[in-house]
């Protein structure tokens, strides 16, 4: 993660929603995991998407192997 991205955690994320939005007024992608808010540069957000996609591909291939 670049030095221009940061995370702010207020409390636990139990039963809390996941939200993502682009805040053009600060040029960041906001990722809310419950009350934890992550401020990502667009580049870091794209890297996160790539890593999440790769992890889900591994998960999907594991399910196919078991089925």
């Amino acid at each position: 993660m670049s030095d221009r991205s940061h995370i702010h955690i207020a409390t636990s994320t139990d039963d809390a929603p996941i939200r993502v939005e682009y805040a053009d007024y600060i040029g960041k992608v906001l990722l809310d995991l419950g009350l934890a808010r992550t401020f990502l540069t667009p580049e870091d957000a794209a890297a996160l998407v790539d890593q999440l996609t790769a992890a889900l591909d591994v998960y999907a291939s594991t399910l196919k192997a078991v089925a």
Side-chain angles (χ1 to χ4, degrees):
M1 195 159 63
S2 72
D3 60 353
R4 294 182 321 217
S5 296
H6 64 279
I7 299 171
H8 170 78
I9 299 174
T11 188
S12 75
T13 59
D14 296 339
D15 298 322
I18 297 172
R19 290 185 307 260
V20 180
E21 66 180 285
Y22 178 69
D24 61 347
Y25 60 95
I26 58 173
K28 303 280 176 142
V29 175
L30 307 180
L31 167 62
D32 293 338
L33 298 169
L35 296 176
R37 175 165 277 186
T38 304
F39 297 80
L40 297 166
T41 63
E43 296 83 8
D44 287 341
L48 175 62
V49 168
D50 290 343
Q51 292 177 33
L52 286 171
T53 301
L56 290 172
D57 287 346
V58 170
Y59 173 70
S61 66
T62 301
L63 290 178
K64 289 177 187 174
V66 173

